[in-house]
Amino acid sequence: MNDDLVIAGKSYASRLLVGTGKYQDFQQTRAAIDASGAEIVTVAIRRTNIGQDANSPSLLDVLPPSKYTYLPNTAGCYSAEDAVRTLRLARELLDDHRLVKLEVLGDPNTLYPNVIETIAAAKTLVKEGFDVMVYTSDDPIIAKQLEDIGCVAVMPLASLIGSGMGILNPWNLQIIIENAHIPVLVDAGVGCASDAAIAMELGCAGVLMNTAIAAARDPILMAGAMRKAIEAGRESYLAGRMAKKLYSASPSSPTQGMIA
Amino acid sequence: MEITVNGTPMQLPISVNSVLLLVEHMQLVGKRIAIERNGEIVPRSQFAAVALSAGDRLEIVGAVGGG
């Protein structure tokens, strides 16, 4: 059965998207991403270090854009203007690359998204031809507005960025998923494999995570666990769970042929 | 000539008068970078054609690990 994730017309076999930050070194980054099976990897856009050794390897050497789909983000941007400016640079940096992750933050302590600025930036970026995957709060109305603007995927938080608190409001996520005609991915808040499986069982199209893997005691082992959790959660969602009941008068073993 | 690169003042030899020459001067040839001059993106194909003037503000960015 073909169950690819389709974003902006392109198919991906993996429904796990991963960040590339917070790893010990590039070698660990690459090993963890390979273990995760992710095809889409987020990157940040930052000033180059002036005076840096010209021969030191860069992230693009370790994760060749020919093998991975880059998802440049706007992490650290607090205004629509900064976010748009960052992604214009990303497009130039990555040879007219259109697929981007928009996030506009509202508060440096919680990293909670500023949805007003996010909506303003999304409008500009869609108009300029970007394929916008947008990080947002779990507000179903805002999610719908971002879809109507023309974003290619909406990515509500499960809990705050880097918190590992898991899925705090499955009901809002469910409303967003039910109303959406574009992929809904959980972005941020997943802490362990069961969180990822729950997101997929809710009907999410995918999950984007970074810290849950990078900050695990063994990031490479956790990356593999996340890959399995995403797959298990997806199949569990597609299979359709049994109805919950407090108790059952229908045992799983035959009632006939008992010896006594 | 003094310009500002990534927020830091930089004194350039007079001969370094285009974006391409700046890239060479900074030993960034072959590196995956994007450049903004005074708020406007300079496409890679235009590096040689875009001249530098004293007081220019340049941003030179690359991709780094992030979530």
Side-chain angles (χ1 to χ4, degrees), chain A residues 8-254:
Chain A
K10 198 176 163 201
S11 294
Y12 303 91
S14 172
R15 292 176 176 273
L16 174 56
L17 289 70
V18 297
T20 56
K22 298 184 178 173
Y23 288 100
Q24 269 170 18
D25 50 37
F26 282 151
Q27 194 191 345
Q28 191 188 52
T29 310
R30 174 69 191 255
I33 288 166
D34 283 349
S36 79
E39 296 161 275
I40 301 178
V41 299
T42 64
V43 296
I45 306 300
R46 290 290 181 270
R47 287 171 163 172
T48 54
N49 281 333
I50 297 169
Q52 186 187 24
D53 176 10
N55 295 318
S56 62
S58 76
L59 186 68
L60 284 96
D61 300 325
V62 183
L63 300 170
S66 54
K67 185 168 177 209
Y68 302 91
T69 297
Y70 270 49
L71 188 63
N73 70 24
T74 59
C77 289
Y78 285 83
S79 69
E81 191 190 346
D82 284 352
V84 169
R85 190 177 166 203
T86 300
L87 292 178
R88 284 177 184 148
L89 279 164
R91 179 147 94 176
E92 171 62 21
L93 180 75
L94 299 168
D95 300 325
D96 204 32
H97 180 86
R98 302 292 168 117
L99 188 69
V100 296
K101 172 182 161 179
L102 170 66
E103 62 176 288
V104 186
L105 304 177
D107 170 50
N109 291 322
T110 61
L111 304 178
Y112 203 82
N114 179 332
V115 295
I116 312 277
E117 291 293 312
T118 302
I119 284 174
K123 283 180 181 165
T124 305
L125 292 166
V126 168
K127 218 175 285 171
E128 293 185 12
F130 285 92
D131 294 325
V132 182
M133 300 179 72
V134 58
Y135 172 64
T136 184
S137 66
D138 63 1
D139 179 329
I141 307 301
I142 298 294
K144 193 69 195 163
Q145 287 188 11
L146 289 164
E147 176 179 340
D148 291 344
I149 286 167
C151 293
V152 299
V154 62
M155 306 199 290
L157 50 76
S159 48
L160 296 176
I161 293 174
S163 71
M165 292 286 283
I167 293 162
L168 299 186
N169 194 339
W171 316 112
N172 270 28
L173 291 177
Q174 218 167 317
I175 293 169
I176 292 171
I177 291 162
E178 275 181 26
N179 289 335
H181 298 99
I182 54 173
V184 176
L185 293 85
V186 153
D187 180 358
V190 164
C192 57
S194 54
D195 293 338
I198 289 168
M200 295 309 291
E201 285 181 327
L202 285 171
C204 284
V207 177
L208 199 168
M209 65 179 76
N210 191 152
T211 313
I213 297 174
R217 189 176 63 240
D218 183 338
I220 294 153
L221 192 58
M222 185 59 89
M226 290 300 183
R227 178 175 58 76
K228 292 170 193 155
I230 295 286
E231 287 171 8
R234 178 65 180 175
E235 287 179 12
S236 174
Y237 167 73
L238 292 174
R241 62 155 298 136
M242 62 167 283
K244 279 185 187 176
K245 46 205 165 194
L246 190 54
Y247 58 87
S248 170
S250 165
S252 297
S253 303

Side-chain angles (χ1 to χ4, degrees), chain B residues 35-47:
Chain B
I35 299 184
E36 194 185 67
R37 174 177 167 265
N38 300 331
E40 300 260 328
I41 286 181
V42 183
R44 208 165 302 145
S45 60
Q46 298 295 304
F47 279 4

